[in-house]
Amino acid sequence: MAEEKQSYIGGAGKKIVEVNPKPNKGLTSKVIDFVENLIVKFMYDSSLTHHYLSGNFAPVREETPPVTDLLVKGHLPDCLNGEFVRVGPNPKFSPVAGYHWFDGDGMIHGLRIKDGKATYVSRYVRTSRIKQEEYFGGAKFMKIGDLKGLFGLLMVNMQMLRGKLKVLDISYGTGKANTALVYHHGKLLALSEADKPYALKVLEDGDLQTLGMLDYDNRLAHSFTAHPKVDPFTGEMFTFGYSHTLPYITYRVISKDGVMHDPVPITISDPIMMHDFAITENYAIFMDLPLYFRPKEMVKENKLIFTFDATKKSRFGVLPRYAKNELQIRWFELPNCFIFHNANAWEEEDEVVLITCRLENPDLDMVNGLVKEKLENFSNELYEMRFNMKTGLASQKKLSVSAVDFPRVNESYTGRRQRYVYGTILDSIVKVSGIIKFDLHAEPETGKTKLEVGGNVLGIYDLGPGRFGSEAVFVPRVPGITSEEDDGYLIFFVHDENTGKSAINVIDAKTMSADPVAVVEMPHRVPYGFPCLLCDRGATSRAGKIVIV
């Protein structure tokens, strides 16, 4: 980011970069638009309908200011007092050509819960990207959905031309803040892994205000994962960024006071997509999985720019989490796979244990899809992986059949051994048809061909025909680890495709009863989205500060 363009909110150690991009209209912009339109006209079939712009994937273009006194069926327990928030892709402008589900502008949907009453709000994250497209009145930034074949190469050049000729101001990055949310050091952060975090404030009435971009006093010069880990015992946040240029992986530690420590580059052979990682009490776990950034194959073989190589093994690097360099990292090999999301990790004697959702032969083109009658599903399965720090050997154990992803735990146990995992049952790749509870102390039943209660599956909450949900967040009845680990609630979004209505459901996490504890009706349709979190009952009671459960 150019130094002269930086202005900050807040004092030392708490600075947030004000995002004020300076795009330029004029003849240069019009000429580039004309050339791009010719490329699209002759190389892209604009009559095709995008699956992830249809049905309940379709965006809700307008923001919703706080809507109070929503209809609540049942009761909202006191431990839910706070703001339940979920982010997801919601493009404000229609794409010029291709569209991938990861392409939409970040919109946050919030439910303010207070004393049994509920208020709904939705706001775009005010990124540099969305501000500039509002200035032009249409889509100007390149899409992941464009990055396929020769067409993709040409669209990359259009993006580079707009940046080089100052039509677009890329000094603040090009991210969408659409993938995940985390709370740390008094800030709610909206994340996308190709950019820096955006900081937001939760107001007393539940409304959401984008404050700006967080660059940790100019110490963050690389991208920031969408899945950082906050240690509930120390208050520190652990994160990384990946890049298509060296260093391909960079690890960072951020103190509980929001101070970012020096970068730790991690050496791997090729640029990859690394969507998640994990921490234990003493280690950080990195995943060198063979989903490679390969622009040459994109052009030659008409593929997306990220290509999975089924001939390569998967590598997992275990590094002491306060290491100053990578010299102490231990690498372990396991059979070929890819992982989008981990549940948790911990240490047992000489072993580091990772609980994760593993899949084989992923094809990101499947979420770049055009409308089809039925999309093929990913084969995500829950796995336990073990890395022996003494012998250097690794092993893995299958804990479920497919398809399970978006695993969550009681986050009071992050980095420590825990028993229960709450996953989502996937239908048609990313539609959630149910919530499933696993007991890691029980053995999985053999011979299973579908997910059902028995063995290590303690319960399934089936959403019913034509009803699909979101990732479920566990909220403990009592914060901390003094009460039973599963004593609490699961809260998640549900959309009924039969009626077109959306709601938020609360269920008992211990019993997984089919009867919800509460159902809060939304004032309008809420599109399918990505991860959620809950800001607890202290959300706005202390000078606007919020605390994550």
Side-chain angles (χ1 to χ4, degrees):
M1 188 182 305
E3 184 65 30
E4 65 272 17
K5 292 192 177 186
Q6 287 191 12
S7 57
Y8 291 92
I9 304 168
K14 297 182 179 180
K15 293 179 180 178
I16 298 172
V17 180
E18 289 190 88
V19 177
N20 296 306
K22 301 292 190 292
N24 290 294
K25 294 180 181 178
L27 181 60
T28 301
S29 176
K30 291 178 181 177
V31 170
I32 295 174
D33 287 348
F34 176 76
V35 174
E36 182 179 74
N37 289 336
L38 286 177
I39 293 170
V40 172
K41 180 179 180 180
F42 290 107
M43 298 188 69
Y44 185 83
D45 185 353
S46 298
S47 68
L48 300 173
T49 304
H50 295 286
H51 177 75
Y52 293 98
L53 290 175
S54 63
N56 196 47
F57 292 103
V60 176
R61 305 283 189 189
E62 300 300 321
E63 297 178 313
T64 304
V67 178
T68 61
D69 296 321
L70 300 178
L71 177 61
V72 179
K73 298 176 182 177
H75 75 283
L76 291 167
D78 289 344
C79 66
L80 296 181
N81 282 351
E83 184 117 353
F84 176 60
V85 283
R86 194 210 69 195
V87 72
N90 193 86
K92 186 162 187 178
F93 299 101
S94 297
V96 172
Y99 182 82
H100 190 285
W101 195 32
F102 302 165
D103 276 324
D105 300 299
M107 174 175 272
I108 299 178
H109 301 269
L111 186 75
R112 176 80 166 101
I113 301 172
K114 185 177 182 181
D115 300 329
K117 295 184 178 181
T119 297
Y120 169 80
V121 63
S122 66
R123 296 292 186 189
Y124 280 107
V125 183
R126 303 291 299 159
T127 62
S128 172
R129 184 186 187 109
I130 199 171
K131 286 182 177 182
Q132 294 186 69
E133 293 194 336
E134 287 174 344
Y135 170 79
F136 285 106
K140 293 295 177 182
F141 285 84
M142 180 183 65
K143 302 285 191 291
I144 297 173
D146 291 330
L147 300 181
K148 191 174 182 180
L150 177 60
F151 176 76
L153 179 62
L154 294 174
M155 295 301 277
V156 167
N157 280 286
M158 292 297 100
Q159 173 78 11
M160 293 173 63
L161 201 57
R162 285 191 173 104
K164 186 174 183 178
L165 299 179
K166 308 299 183 184
V167 173
L168 293 176
D169 182 353
I170 60 173
S171 64
Y172 297 94
T174 62
K176 302 170 282 287
N178 68 3
T179 309
L181 300 162
V182 70
Y183 181 82
H184 187 247
H185 187 230
K187 302 177 184 69
L188 176 64
L189 306 181
L191 309 171
S192 62
E193 57 203 57
D195 205 357
K196 299 174 184 178
Y198 276 81
L200 295 101
K201 182 178 181 180
V202 181
L203 304 179
E204 180 64 34
D205 62 356
D207 209 349
L208 299 161
Q209 176 187 359
T210 303
L211 300 176
M213 178 181 281
L214 194 60
D215 71 354
Y216 294 93
D217 294 342
N218 211 29
R219 291 180 61 81
L220 178 61
H222 54 78
S223 63
F224 192 102
T225 179
H227 294 293
K229 309 302 177 187
V230 177
D231 187 316
F233 293 86
T234 68
E236 297 163 304
M237 182 159 68
F238 301 83
T239 187
F240 71 93
Y242 68 81
S243 173
H244 62 271
T245 60
L246 290 170
Y248 296 137
I249 302 291
T250 305
Y251 172 55
R252 305 303 287 265
V253 179
I254 303 167
S255 75
K256 66 178 181 179
D257 299 318
V259 177
M260 176 171 274
H261 296 187
D262 290 341
V264 179
I266 305 296
T267 301
I268 58 175
S269 61
D270 297 280
I272 59 169
M273 174 184 282
M274 181 174 148
H275 187 64
D276 200 357
F277 82 138
I279 62 167
T280 70
E281 186 174 357
N282 296 293
Y283 296 101
I285 305 170
F286 302 91
M287 305 187 296
D288 180 12
L289 310 178
L291 185 58
Y292 295 118
F293 177 81
R294 287 180 170 168
K296 290 183 180 179
E297 281 80 351
M298 177 190 78
V299 177
K300 292 179 180 179
E301 301 176 25
N302 197 34
K303 294 180 177 179
L304 278 180
I305 202 162
F306 281 100
T307 302
F308 188 75
D309 188 340
T311 67
K312 303 287 188 181
K313 286 192 173 183
S314 296
R315 299 200 317 148
F316 297 81
V318 181
L319 179 73
R321 71 183 202 176
Y322 299 114
K324 302 298 183 183
N325 54 54
E326 64 171 339
L327 295 179
Q328 297 180 67
I329 197 166
R330 297 281 302 278
W331 287 102
F332 300 84
E333 286 191 352
L334 283 173
N336 179 277
C337 74
F338 188 73
I339 292 168
F340 280 111
H341 301 111
N342 299 312
N344 198 17
W346 63 81
E347 298 157 40
E348 287 183 27
E349 298 180 349
D350 295 330
E351 293 185 316
V352 171
V353 181
L354 175 67
I355 306 299
T356 188
C357 289
R358 175 188 184 274
L359 69 154
E360 297 180 357
N361 298 316
D363 181 2
L364 291 190
D365 210 8
M366 293 166 69
V367 282
N368 194 36
L370 307 174
V371 170
K372 302 175 183 177
E373 290 185 6
K374 178 72 173 180
L375 291 173
E376 183 183 352
N377 206 354
F378 281 176
S379 58
N380 312 51
E381 298 166 330
L382 191 68
Y383 265 74
E384 174 191 275
M385 297 179 176
R386 290 178 174 267
F387 311 105
N388 193 301
M389 301 298 290
K390 187 174 182 179
T391 66
L393 300 178
S395 63
Q396 63 182 25
K397 177 181 178 181
K398 182 177 173 179
L399 301 180
S400 83
V401 296
S402 64
V404 178
D405 210 313
F406 301 106
R408 297 296 290 256
V409 301
N410 181 338
E411 292 182 4
S412 297
Y413 292 83
T414 297
R416 277 73 177 177
R417 187 176 185 178
Q418 39 72 223
R419 180 173 181 176
Y420 302 107
V421 175
Y422 305 92
T424 59
I425 300 174
L426 300 184
D427 173 86
S428 193
I429 297 181
V430 290
K431 283 187 176 181
V432 174
S433 61
I435 309 298
I436 185 168
K437 178 181 181 181
F438 293 97
D439 180 356
L440 299 180
H441 291 183
E443 290 296 319
E445 288 188 350
T446 59
K448 291 284 187 181
T449 59
K450 65 177 182 177
L451 294 165
E452 55 189 5
V453 175
N456 64 347
V457 178
L458 293 186
I460 291 177
Y461 184 82
D462 189 353
L463 298 183
R467 291 165 53 84
F468 301 97
S470 71
E471 175 184 64
V473 174
F474 178 87
V475 183
R477 193 187 307 271
V478 179
I481 59 173
T482 57
S483 59
E484 292 182 280
E485 182 189 323
D486 63 345
D487 184 16
Y489 302 92
L490 296 171
I491 181 169
F492 50 94
F493 281 87
V494 177
H495 179 72
D496 191 332
E497 295 189 348
N498 305 299
T499 64
K501 295 182 178 180
S502 298
I504 285 177
N505 281 21
V506 179
I507 65 173
D508 189 315
K510 180 180 284 292
T511 66
M512 297 295 290
S513 170
D515 297 322
V517 174
V519 176
V520 184
E521 294 189 2
M522 297 293 96
H524 58 69
R525 177 179 68 83
V526 176
Y528 301 127
F530 293 149
C532 317
L533 60 82
L534 179 75
C535 313
D536 86 351
R537 49 188 170 273
T540 54
S541 62
R542 298 187 299 280
K545 294 182 180 179
I546 58 179
V547 181
I548 291 304
V549 173

